[in-house]
Structures are given as structure tokens and as C-alpha cells.
Amino acid sequence: MSNYDRFWDLHVLARDGHYDFASQIREQAEHQAAKQTADSLKRFLLSPVDSKHKCIITPDELAAVDDLPDGYVASAISISDLETGAVSVTAQNLVRWINDPGRTGKLRVNAHGDGEGAIWMSEQTGVTSSVAADLLITWLTRNGLSPVANNTRVKSVAGNKNSKGLVTIALAACMGARYMTTGATLGSASSTAAPSSAVALMVSALRQAGITGIEVTGSNEIVMSVDGRLYRDTQPAPQTRGAADKAWEEGQQDGTRLWTIEIPAGWDVRSFLFSRGGVINIPMDYAIKGVAHNRGRHPSGGWILTHHGDGSTVDVSEGWIVDEARRTISPPLGWHVKSHGSGRGGTLIATSPGHAEPLAHSPFKIREIS
């Protein structure tokens, strides 16, 4: 488990106890606990126990924090308990365990993200339960999270972070470092979450509680779990249907494994001068419709662009950002935007191969320290 003595997987449930990622709980646990004994994995691994996917550790299982060995623990918390900042013996024991000043701990929070500063989960009815991400920090502090005395700092990509206690909070949620149409900033040696994003809210809440030196990580994009490991999903080219001359074409750059997207003439592609990013301007002869299910017209929620003339469409994938007011599309981080001239389309070139790649240790993991 890398440099961590203790790893806590926290699964965020909807108000009715439903959990969309129940099938991934065991995969994630087995990946993280690979170096631990089978007995400890069996004892502290959560599995769905009923049709609502309730994944709860009972107080009897955590009668005292001393019962928990070093290694891996999984538990669950409902959106309702985060909203109220509920205090429980179980939560207090877990917080004390992960923040032990003699150990090095990491907390991973598993939920959906909306790219607007909140985390959420689907109820069985399809309605979403949502809560601002900083209430997660409020819940942790109400259950005992506090600064670790005499905590020396160690160098991290994001700066200097704590070496003992809880040192990392990983937000395993889509678009946790984005806010609306503002994405995270990706530099050559560091990154910064968008203001008001879930990551930024969590960092701010930690600082307000006087807890500094904890690294909070997240993604600007869609994330997914494959065999227990988190990947960033760069989302392939938006799907085009109808007229061939209006199609976005996906391929590979000659002599490389890098993906490219060719945007046809009639579209205006604008490169940013001092970065590898850019935007695609949506022609005025396309109508714009948001498709985010049950959550309104969200910039990162997926869109359909329909041509007024022939009805051909461009289906913009979730995770690509549509600014409806400015009529622009921003690709996920990691795409170099190259214009072919005003109104002549352009080329998007991926800066790494494949549609998905491990998020851990990649430059696309957004990091900030409280």
C-alpha cells in the first residue's frame, strides 16, 4: 500500500442506503489490501448485505480502535449523516485509527461528483442524494479529526505535506477538481483545483478547522474503477451522426499511440496561447441541449448539438465541458488543441495514449495541501 500504514475506503451511500458502486467494493479492497493478510481483509471488508446495498460496519465490530490492525478498512456513510454531521462511536474510532500520530494514513472517498462542488449518489428511485463536499470535512472533525502535534512535513508534488496521521484524502469522484465551466489548472510541476470545486471546498474546510498539511487529491475529469484501481477517463471523441462533412473523426497520430480528433471545416477551434488547452466554438447553426439525467443542464453532464439544417448531431460526452452561454466546448485535460485557421476546424491531440489511464502517480491527479 505504497507508503501508507493505514488505508480507509469510505463509500458514500444515498439517503435510502443505495450504492451505485457496490460491485466494486471487493475489487477496490483487494487491490489496496494486497499486501495484508487474508484474515484482516476478511474481517474488515464490507460487502453488500441487502437489496439496498447497505454497507455498514456495526459498532460491535469496532468496539475499540485497538481492535483495528494496520492495513485496510472499508466503511460507509450516508448522505444524510454527512448533512447533519452525525457523531457515532464507529466514526470516532475510524477517525482516530486513520489519524493515529504513530502511523501514516490515507482516506479515499468513493462517490459520484457533479463538477459543481458536490458529491452525490443515486437512490433506488433514480433521484439523487447530494451534499456539498466540505460537509465531509465537517463530519470528520465532529468525529474527532484534529491536527497531529509535532507533525514533520515531507516533500510532495503539491508542496510539503504531513508525514504522520491522516496525510492524504483522495476524492474518488468524477470532476472533483472542476467547478462548472472552470477546470483545474495543470502545470508542468503542479496543479490547482478550480475555486469552489469539491477539492477546493475540502481544502478550505480543513484550513478553517486549523488542520493543515493534508493533501487532498481529485480529478478534473470522469473517473472509473477497473479491477480496484482508479483511472481517469479522457472520454473518446464526441459521437457524430448524420452528414459526413460535419463529422468529428477519431484516429491516431502518425508514428505514435496518441489519439487525435479531427474537427471539420465550419467549426472554429481556438488554441490558448500559454497552455496546451483550448476551446471549440459551436457554430450558430447548431441547437444545444443538455442531457444530464435528473440534474438539469450541467456543463459537464453531456450534451447534444443538433444542426438546424439537416438534423445531424454531435453527442458531446460527459466530462467534456459545454459553456452554453459562450457556445464553447472544452475538452478534458490532456488534449492539445491546434487550430487550422478561422472557421477551418482543427485537431485535438491527446498528450497520453489511450482513452483511460491510471490516475495514481499521473500528472492529471490534481493535488492541493491544506
Side-chain angles (χ1 to χ4, degrees):
M1 290 197 305
S2 186
N3 297 318
Y4 301 105
D5 302 313
R6 297 178 173 182
F7 191 108
W8 177 13
D9 247 338
L10 181 64
H11 301 280
V12 179
L13 313 180
R15 293 186 184 91
D16 66 352
H18 187 262
Y19 187 58
D20 289 335
F21 310 138
S23 63
Q24 299 171 9
I25 293 174
R26 178 168 291 278
E27 290 178 352
Q28 289 179 303
E30 289 176 345
H31 176 74
Q32 294 297 332
K35 297 181 180 180
Q36 306 305 311
T37 67
D39 286 344
S40 67
L41 176 61
K42 181 179 180 181
R43 182 177 180 188
F44 297 108
L45 170 66
L46 293 177
S47 295
V49 296
D50 62 21
S51 61
K52 290 185 177 180
H53 304 316
K54 288 186 177 179
C55 315
I56 305 296
I57 283 183
T58 68
D60 289 341
E61 290 177 294
L62 295 177
V65 73
D66 293 340
D67 289 341
L68 294 175
D70 287 348
Y72 179 89
V73 170
S75 72
I77 184 70
S78 74
I79 290 285
S80 298
D81 285 342
L82 292 180
E83 287 175 323
T84 62
V87 176
S88 70
V89 173
T90 297
Q92 290 173 331
N93 285 342
L94 282 165
V95 170
R96 189 158 61 250
W97 178 79
I98 201 65
N99 201 39
D100 188 318
R103 298 291 186 268
T104 304
K106 177 177 180 177
L107 166 64
R108 181 169 62 187
V109 181
N110 302 278
H112 290 294
D114 65 359
E116 298 181 25
I119 56 177
W120 61 277
M121 188 56 58
S122 298
E123 298 181 14
Q124 290 197 91
T125 60
V127 174
T128 60
S129 299
S130 177
V131 67
D134 53 343
L135 291 187
L136 171 72
I137 303 302
T138 301
W139 174 74
L140 289 169
T141 57
R142 283 177 59 84
N143 281 282
L145 183 65
S146 59
V148 172
N150 304 317
N151 208 336
T152 58
R153 301 285 172 93
V154 294
K155 192 167 183 60
S156 162
V157 173
N160 294 321
K161 62 187 287 187
N162 292 339
S163 61
K164 293 298 180 183
L166 175 60
V167 302
T168 301
I169 301 176
L171 181 59
C174 292
M175 300 171 289
R178 166 177 294 285
Y179 183 75
M180 299 291 284
T181 58
T182 303
T185 301
L186 187 66
S188 59
S190 62
S191 56
T192 305
S196 300
S197 66
V199 169
L201 290 178
M202 292 165 68
V203 169
S204 177
L206 286 166
R207 290 172 179 166
Q208 289 177 14
I211 303 172
T212 60
I214 291 180
E215 185 176 78
V216 181
T217 70
S219 175
N220 191 74
E221 299 148 357
I222 302 295
V223 297
M224 57 186 179
S225 176
V226 180
D227 295 328
R229 189 177 186 184
L230 287 180
Y231 285 73
R232 74 181 192 104
D233 188 353
T234 60
Q235 294 294 296
Q239 298 295 307
T240 52
R241 311 174 197 282
D245 62 343
K246 296 181 178 64
W248 293 31
E249 304 217 354
E250 188 176 16
Q252 281 189 299
Q253 190 176 22
D254 291 342
T256 75
R257 295 174 55 231
L258 299 181
W259 288 94
T260 63
I261 299 172
E262 292 294 335
I263 300 173
W267 292 74
D268 186 25
V269 173
R270 181 163 56 93
S271 305
F272 290 162
L273 183 60
F274 297 111
S275 76
R276 298 175 66 83
V279 297
I280 301 104
N281 294 314
I282 302 171
M284 294 303 297
D285 50 0
Y286 280 87
I288 305 174
K289 178 183 179 183
V291 297
H293 180 60
N294 286 332
R295 295 191 296 117
R297 300 167 75 90
H298 290 246
S300 55
W303 298 78
I304 297 176
L305 314 179
T306 304
H307 191 263
H308 291 306
D310 59 19
S312 60
T313 62
V314 178
D315 298 347
V316 182
S317 308
E318 184 181 8
W320 292 65
I321 306 304
V322 171
D323 187 328
E324 191 172 10
R326 291 185 172 87
R327 298 184 64 87
T328 60
I329 304 170
S330 300
L333 284 177
W335 289 93
H336 176 55
V337 180
K338 179 181 178 181
S339 174
H340 293 168
S342 179
R344 296 168 56 190
T347 303
L348 307 185
I349 304 171
T351 57
S352 60
H355 287 164
E357 63 178 343
L359 189 59
H361 310 299
S362 82
F364 301 103
K365 176 181 277 189
I366 308 304
R367 302 168 170 89
E368 286 205 22
I369 297 176
S370 65

